[in-house]
Amino acid sequence: MRRHWVLSLVLAVGAALVAAPAAHAGDGCFTNQDLTASIGAPLGNMQPAGWSTPWDLQRHFAYYTADSRLVVASAAPGGAWTWTTLLKGEPVYGFLGVYSYSWDHSSRIVYADGVNHHLMEMWSSDTSPAWQKIDLTATHNGPLVDGGPHGYEQDGQQHIVFMDGHGNNTIWEAVFVPGADWTFTNLTTLTGVNPRNNYGSYLTAQPLQSDGEAIGYIGADDYPHVLIGQRGRWLDQRVGVPADKQYYNVNSMAFLRGGHVQRYAFRYETSDRHLHEAAWEAGRWTDTDVTVVTGSTDPNGQPRSGDDEYLWNADGSEHMFTTGSDGAVLEYVRTRDGRWFLWRDTGPIVDGPAWVAGFAAPDDAAHGTETEFYVYYTSDRHVIISDLTGPYQT
């Protein structure tokens, strides 16, 4: 196992405040489209979540609607957005987990059933384009899920990480291997980790390609922890500073090049309501008070969602989204060279639902350009997609 990248601590981030650049990290401007007004997309409710399918360059996002539908919207680079309804009248609990799976060219959406807390999966592939639903808990005798499962591809397999739905502070990982069946592993028992509580929003997970996978959580010692796994071997690392004891919404990002981690970031909050980022880079960890380095003064400027941040691989910049006290979309940006900025991406959104999600997608197969997106809802719950394209940097 490649342990050297998790055994050393404290990276110097160099997050100095400087004059803001003329535009976002791509030296361009966001363009916006009201999908409800333009193509009749249903009114939004709850957290959206976005992903891309690299084999056809399609970009997608899923969301739960105001009339209790699960909807997916999709578009090709430069193409028109379309949407389709996957479920009607079936409750969803917590955040959606979304990812692509290269083995069968499929898109996957995982979530907790809002009634029985079963782990559910919706999937569609090139050869089976109609969306299908599978109850993974019932079909494979798996555990219940609290909410907010995290799904991704790792080593050609499907991985889903989630908190147990029985309230026993247990982290589970479901794994699908082509040619075999789904299996469920109790990571709490296997590794001896001790999460502080059982809520799915207090857990995050990321694939790291050749370097394994990283599961972030808040431990019983109140510190952020990152559990690193690679082909069945695990190592737990305490990072950062003590986290808030009541508000534990967390998330993570990984910047990859050549199949290896260049930077990993774990976002959490502290008891003074500051946004923090514990990050690994160049063999060392550090902790940055993002609220301080960006000069944020908004008391509601902390992310409250499960898909609020992403790593724009085109230029290696990090983006963390939230909504402010006036409902405006806020974007915390860290450039690849370590400078931090805070952007107001929209004007005030009065009485809006205050959900926002970011994701990125390649525009071609040759790493020419990549487009970043964020999705949010207006005061009347119209679905807005905003995008910005930038050149890919090695």
Side-chain angles (χ1 to χ4, degrees):
M1 179 179 182
R2 291 169 53 90
R3 294 194 177 191
H4 61 275
W5 76 273
V6 294
L7 290 177
S8 55
L9 297 178
V10 190
L11 148 77
V13 173
L17 281 175
V18 298
H24 286 66
D27 289 331
C29 296
F30 278 106
T31 59
N32 306 312
Q33 183 179 355
D34 184 332
L35 296 184
T36 301
S38 61
I39 64 171
L43 300 180
N45 184 40
M46 297 175 59
Q47 171 73 36
W51 74 102
S52 68
T53 43
W55 48 86
D56 60 6
L57 301 178
Q58 293 273 325
R59 53 285 320 270
H60 319 264
F61 69 91
Y63 69 102
Y64 199 69
T65 70
D67 59 354
S68 302
R69 285 186 279 170
L70 180 60
V71 166
V72 168
S74 302
W81 285 91
T82 62
W83 62 272
T84 186
T85 296
L86 277 58
L87 296 174
K88 293 182 179 180
E90 298 188 26
V92 172
Y93 179 76
F95 304 127
L96 303 173
V98 297
Y99 60 104
S100 60
Y101 186 38
S102 62
W103 177 68
D104 59 357
H105 283 194
S106 63
S107 287
R108 307 276 168 163
I109 303 172
V110 291
Y111 61 94
D113 184 282
V115 175
N116 58 22
H117 281 258
H118 283 202
L119 178 61
M120 309 298 294
E121 179 189 45
M122 299 289 301
W123 69 275
S124 168
S125 70
D126 288 353
T127 56
S128 299
W131 283 91
Q132 303 178 52
K133 182 178 71 172
I134 300 176
D135 184 330
L136 296 180
T137 298
T139 304
H140 302 286
N141 195 31
L144 301 182
V145 55
D146 174 74
H150 296 267
Y152 46 86
E153 179 176 347
Q154 177 66 37
D155 294 329
Q157 308 166 356
Q158 292 185 75
H159 290 238
I160 305 173
V161 177
F162 59 95
M163 294 298 296
D164 192 289
H166 290 98
N168 55 11
N169 293 22
T170 298
I171 301 175
W172 286 90
E173 182 175 45
V175 175
F176 171 80
V177 179
D181 210 344
W182 281 95
T183 59
F184 293 82
T185 300
N186 184 326
L187 293 181
T188 298
T189 298
L190 178 67
T191 65
V193 298
N194 189 14
R196 181 174 177 81
N197 49 47
N198 198 69
Y199 299 119
S201 59
Y202 302 172
L203 182 74
T204 180
Q206 284 286 336
L208 306 178
Q209 294 187 5
S210 298
D211 293 325
E213 56 189 314
I215 300 171
Y217 68 98
I218 305 298
D221 59 1
D222 295 330
Y223 277 83
H225 285 249
V226 179
L227 180 64
I228 308 300
Q230 191 174 44
R231 296 180 180 85
R233 302 178 64 185
W234 295 91
L235 179 68
D236 188 63
Q237 174 72 62
R238 192 179 84 173
V239 300
V241 299
D244 187 4
K245 295 183 179 181
Q246 296 182 350
Y247 182 84
Y248 286 123
N249 191 298
V250 300
N251 212 338
S252 58
M253 299 178 278
F255 174 42
L256 305 163
R257 282 291 188 269
H260 293 288
V261 178
Q262 305 301 305
R263 180 176 171 87
Y264 167 84
F266 177 24
R267 190 267 296 149
Y268 66 102
E269 287 77 44
T270 50
S271 59
D272 55 4
R273 306 297 288 158
H274 283 199
L275 173 66
H276 276 246
E277 182 187 79
W280 178 93
E281 188 174 6
R284 303 170 64 192
W285 285 92
T286 193
D287 186 86
T288 300
D289 188 327
V290 178
T291 300
V292 169
V293 299
T294 59
S296 174
T297 59
D298 194 317
N300 295 329
Q302 297 92 1
R304 68 182 187 95
S305 52
D307 293 284
D308 62 331
E309 63 190 20
Y310 69 100
L311 202 301
W312 192 19
N313 282 314
D315 66 0
S317 58
E318 301 169 19
H319 302 251
M320 294 183 279
F321 290 89
T322 184
T323 50
S325 55
D326 62 356
V329 175
L330 305 180
E331 182 182 0
Y332 297 90
V333 179
R334 180 192 183 274
T335 62
R336 190 171 179 180
D337 60 1
R339 295 173 295 147
W340 283 96
F341 303 97
L342 174 58
W343 299 95
R344 286 178 61 89
D345 286 336
T346 71
I349 303 175
V350 180
D351 297 325
W355 293 114
V356 62
F359 66 103
D363 299 317
D364 52 67
H367 292 305
T369 63
E370 187 171 288
T371 299
E372 60 171 329
F373 299 89
Y374 67 90
V375 185
Y376 68 99
Y377 309 135
T378 62
S379 299
D380 53 6
R381 296 183 181 270
H382 281 212
V383 180
I384 311 297
I385 180 76
S386 300
D387 65 87
L388 169 66
T389 297
Y392 190 91
Q393 301 174 22
T394 58

